[in-house]
Amino acid sequence: MSDLIGYARVSTTDQDHVLQRNALDAAGCTRTFTETASGALRDRPELGKVLDYLRPGDTLVVWKLDRLGRSISHLIEIVTALGERGIGFRSLTEGFDTTTSGGKLIFHVMAALAEFERDVIRERTTAGLAAARAEGRVGGRPSKLTGAKLEHACALRDAGQHTVTAIAEIVGVSRSTIYRALGEEPAKTPVRAGGR
C-alpha cells in the first residue's frame, strides 16, 4: 500500500513546524518527519530517516521545494534518486507533483536547465583559466616565499651555518617550502629496529 509521507524543516529553533505540519496533515500524509536544520546542510538526520523510510509507490510531500533541497541541483539529485526507487515527490505550495505526467515534464525541464547552467559555468571557467594562462597568470594561492625571502634562504644555505629548519624559521615559511624552493630532498629519519 502506498503512503504520502511528509517532511517538514525549519532553519532555527525559534521557528516551528506547525504551519508545515498542518498543511502536510491536510494533504493526507500518514507520517511526517520534522527537522530543525539549515537548508545549507547536505547531511540532515531526519532527511536521511525519511529517505530510508520511503518504499516504492510512496510519495514524499513537502510544504515548499526549499524545505527539501539546499539548491536546485541538490533538489534534482534527491528527486531523481526517489524516482529511480519508484517514489513520487510532491510540493504543496508550488503544486509540483512527479506522480503526474505534467509534474514529470516540469521536473525534466528543471533538470535540463540545471545541467545547462552547469555546462555554461564549466565552459566559462575553462575559458577564463585558458585566458589567464595565455597572459602568464596562474591561479592558486600566492607563494609565501617571495623573491627576497628566497634569496635570503639561498644565502643562509650557502653559508652552511643553518639547518633547513632554522632557515625556514628565519624566513617565515615551512620546511617543505624551503625544500621545494631549494630543490633538495628532506632528510629521512632512520627507523629504529623494534619500534616506530
Side-chain angles (χ1 to χ4, degrees):
M1 181 181 167
S2 60
D3 288 316
L4 299 180
I5 307 299
Y7 173 71
R9 180 185 64 78
V10 294
S11 300
T12 60
T13 51
D14 41 331
Q15 299 172 322
D16 66 43
H17 305 90
V18 175
L19 175 66
Q20 293 179 55
R21 285 197 66 107
N22 289 346
L24 294 168
D25 290 345
C29 290
T30 56
R31 180 169 179 186
T32 296
F33 291 76
T34 59
E35 184 145 58
T36 302
S38 167
L41 295 174
R42 187 174 185 88
D43 296 319
R44 291 176 251 150
E46 291 302 310
L47 178 59
K49 286 179 189 174
V50 72
L51 295 177
D52 287 343
Y53 181 81
L54 291 160
R55 297 292 172 257
D58 288 346
T59 299
L60 176 62
V61 185
V62 295
W63 179 58
K64 284 181 73 174
L65 288 171
D66 67 356
R67 299 299 86 196
L68 181 65
R70 59 193 173 87
S71 63
I72 289 291
S73 59
H74 186 223
L75 184 66
I76 288 168
E77 180 185 320
I78 293 172
V79 175
T80 299
L82 291 173
E84 288 169 354
R85 293 169 53 198
I87 298 164
F89 173 71
R90 186 186 302 171
S91 175
L92 301 176
T93 304
E94 291 87 0
F96 183 85
D97 187 349
T98 64
T99 63
T100 67
S101 54
K104 286 177 187 168
L105 174 64
I106 291 169
F107 175 70
H108 288 303
V109 169
M110 281 173 55
L113 288 171
E115 181 64 29
F116 173 73
E117 182 184 31
R118 281 193 296 273
D119 288 344
V120 168
I121 290 169
R122 196 177 303 119
E123 286 170 11
R124 284 182 186 157
T125 302
T126 303
L129 290 171
R133 276 194 295 274
E135 294 174 4
R137 292 182 285 125
V138 262
R141 192 170 30 179
S143 174
K144 285 186 174 182
L145 190 63
T146 61
K149 285 184 178 181
L150 178 58
E151 283 180 28
H152 191 190
C154 288
L156 292 170
R157 188 246 346 241
D158 293 343
Q161 296 178 349
H162 298 283
T163 65
V164 171
T165 302
I167 294 171
E169 286 178 9
I170 291 167
V171 298
V173 296
S174 69
R175 282 180 33 196
S176 58
T177 299
I178 294 294
Y179 279 122
R180 272 195 309 274
L182 301 180
E184 297 178 6
E185 287 292 318
K188 302 280 189 242
T189 305
V191 178
R192 289 174 297 185
R196 291 185 175 185

